[in-house]
Amino acid sequence: MTRATRILVVALALVAGAVAMVPARAATTTTRPATSNSSPTAPAQVQLSNLSKKIVEASREESELLKKLDAANARKSASAQRITELDQELPAAQAKFAAASERLAVVDGELAVAEERLSRASAQLKFGKSALKQRAIDAYVGRPDASMLSVGVRVATFREYVALRQYMNAVIRTHTRIVHQYDDLQRGAADLQDAVARRRAEAKAQRDVVARERNNIAAARTSQEQARTQAASSAAEAANLLKEVRGRRAEFQAKYNQLKAQSDAIARLLKGRQSGQTTAPSGKGVLSSPIPGAAISSTFGPRVHPIFGDVRMHTGVDFDASEGTPIHAAADGVVVSAGPQGGYGNATIIDHGNSLATLYAHQSRIAVAAGQSVKRGQVIGYVGHTGYATGPHLHFEVRVNGTPVDPMRYL
Ligand SMILES: [Zn+2]
């Protein structure tokens, strides 16, 4: 059984328990004869008391909050789980990225060397070509004198001229060979540079792939971290509200328990007082209605509490009447007590003899005093909503030897 389900069961138990001796708030405003409302054998059809409603509402709220809390906690653990996974994936991705970066750096180095080599080869070739060109121009096309001057030879004879030509040709041939070598060298360097550049492009592409992998993992981790933080704050919020709502419910429950204790105290008081009295038989008309003509908004009835197994009940009937409506004594008797009674508010208890007593709760004003004798039908007070009641109504009890009985058996 989940926590939420347990809470729901508790809530239902409270609904059932709410039968209560707690006076219920008047729910109807129509006026009809009280006698037509119920018979002595009518099943205990009990409305929720206002207090019990509050307990149920608090329990329902609690159940909702528990659902929220569970959901937030589930989200939180899912995020935490994912973060753990990502934290395990991240170092591997980081290592792959580092390795790829290193490979790229090595190839970058190789490329720099190749580029330097190519540049040197190109410079040598250029220089060689320009020198060769100059010599060729000097020897064949251009100014032989200048050419001869440039080699520091003075031409004196035709023989010398021919010898010089031969010499120049030899020089040019040698030079041409060197230029071809430079040319080969440059071509080789260019090929090398191309190859290294291709390898570099591959290494960079690889590095970019693993960088994206690593960045994706890091980004996923960041968003999971945010989700976890959000879930944690939702959980904290729900937990706070839960604490508040549980406090509220405990407060209602305490009031409920207090009412029960008060009812028991009244029972003890009447038992002590009426111990010697005989018990008169019940019957319609033994008592008269405290508010003739008022509708009954909540009847008397016991219920077995589904969890605790004890019987909790609404210990009287509630008469729907507006504030200030006069309340009449149900029979001749002596006022046992008249004054504030905690959850009952301003309450009057009248001993009618023959072990019979009546109680009138939530009055706005009490018109009699303890010890005073009253006559049937005499105004003893006025309807109000003192004690645990939000709306004005009369909570009316009939007790035999202190024990609450169904007033409808006497009215
Ligand atoms: Zn009541």
Side-chain angles (χ1 to χ4, degrees):
M1 188 150 55
T2 69
R3 230 173 351 162
T5 314
R6 271 202 311 276
I7 287 304
L8 198 61
V9 168
V10 172
L12 289 171
L14 286 164
V15 171
V19 171
M21 51 325 131
V22 178
R25 192 180 64 80
T28 61
T29 50
T30 52
T31 301
R32 59 209 148 106
T35 47
S36 73
N37 186 268
S38 184
S39 73
T41 53
Q45 182 61 48
V46 182
Q47 292 188 357
L48 294 181
S49 79
N50 189 56
L51 193 56
S52 295
K53 261 185 199 157
K54 281 181 176 172
I55 295 174
V56 169
E57 274 163 22
S59 297
R60 195 178 299 131
E61 234 179 293
E62 182 183 34
S63 163
E64 287 301 311
L65 285 169
L66 278 172
K67 271 185 222 154
K68 273 185 196 163
L69 184 62
D70 284 348
N73 277 330
R75 284 204 306 277
K76 196 169 80 175
S77 7
S79 287
Q81 170 68 29
R82 189 71 194 111
I83 287 169
T84 306
E85 286 165 12
L86 290 168
D87 280 346
Q88 281 162 1
E89 289 170 27
L90 200 53
Q94 190 62 45
K96 262 162 83 181
F97 175 72
S101 296
E102 200 168 322
R103 267 202 307 280
L104 183 60
V106 169
V107 180
D108 271 341
E110 286 172 19
L111 185 61
V113 170
E115 276 168 350
E116 171 64 22
R117 198 177 295 172
L118 177 60
S119 149
R120 264 206 315 274
S122 297
Q124 281 171 334
L125 180 61
K126 198 177 163 194
F127 173 78
K129 271 181 176 168
S130 79
L132 177 63
K133 193 178 168 193
Q134 192 55 52
R135 293 276 156 80
I137 289 165
D138 291 349
Y140 293 107
V141 192
R143 304 146 294 155
D145 290 349
S147 164
M148 279 172 239
L149 282 172
S150 77
V151 291
V153 179
R154 201 182 174 282
V155 180
T157 66
F158 178 72
R159 273 179 64 106
E160 280 171 331
Y161 177 72
V162 168
L164 183 60
R165 281 291 301 266
Q166 281 170 344
Y167 171 73
M168 289 298 288
N169 283 343
V171 167
I172 286 166
R173 269 197 307 277
T174 303
H175 218 104
T176 304
R177 202 176 61 242
I178 289 166
V179 165
H180 280 147
Q181 280 169 358
Y182 283 157
D183 200 20
D184 288 345
L185 191 65
Q186 194 234 23
R187 212 174 295 121
D191 288 348
L192 177 69
Q193 196 242 22
D194 281 353
V196 176
R198 270 196 303 278
R199 280 206 292 135
R200 189 196 179 274
E202 278 166 26
K204 186 174 181 304
Q206 253 176 33
R207 205 253 343 235
D208 289 350
V209 166
V210 292
R212 266 198 301 281
E213 269 175 38
R214 186 202 56 171
N215 293 346
N216 287 346
I217 290 169
R221 196 194 184 286
T222 302
S223 82
Q224 288 297 334
E225 191 67 64
Q226 278 165 357
R228 183 171 65 172
T229 305
Q230 232 164 37
S233 99
S234 302
E237 195 188 342
N240 276 342
L241 287 171
L242 198 59
K243 201 174 146 193
E244 188 192 300
V245 89
R246 279 178 173 161
R248 215 154 61 215
R249 195 185 51 182
E251 195 184 311
F252 299 145
Q253 189 66 54
K255 280 183 179 172
Y256 184 97
N257 295 343
Q258 193 200 339
L259 263 177
K260 173 97 175 73
Q262 238 146 13
S263 176
D264 291 349
I266 290 168
R268 280 193 300 276
L269 170 80
L270 288 171
K271 247 179 212 141
R273 185 186 166 88
Q274 300 178 322
S275 62
Q277 297 179 3
T278 53
T279 305
S282 62
K284 281 202 172 291
V286 169
L287 299 173
S288 58
S289 175
I291 306 175
I296 289 170
S297 56
S298 181
T299 56
F300 175 93
R303 270 214 188 153
V304 176
H305 195 285
I307 282 198
F308 305 114
D310 59 349
V311 176
R312 295 189 183 188
M313 51 190 291
H314 186 217
T315 48
V317 293
D318 290 345
F319 287 92
D320 185 19
S322 54
E323 186 97 10
T325 303
I327 300 166
H328 306 270
D332 294 353
V334 177
V335 176
V336 174
S337 80
Q341 287 263 14
Y344 281 102
N346 294 326
T348 302
I349 302 169
I350 300 173
D351 180 1
H352 302 293
N354 295 324
S355 303
L356 197 63
T358 50
L359 179 147
Y360 312 76
H362 308 313
Q363 298 175 57
S364 57
R365 189 158 64 84
I366 294 174
V368 292
Q372 186 182 333
S373 287
V374 294
K375 288 284 171 195
R376 186 186 187 103
Q378 181 181 335
V379 173
I380 56 158
Y382 301 90
V383 170
H385 59 278
T386 53
Y388 300 154
T390 54
H393 74 282
L394 170 66
H395 172 80
F396 176 67
E397 290 186 7
V398 173
R399 292 182 179 235
V400 173
N401 267 318
T403 304
V405 296
D406 187 355
M408 301 319 290
R409 284 158 55 195
Y410 293 83
L411 290 175

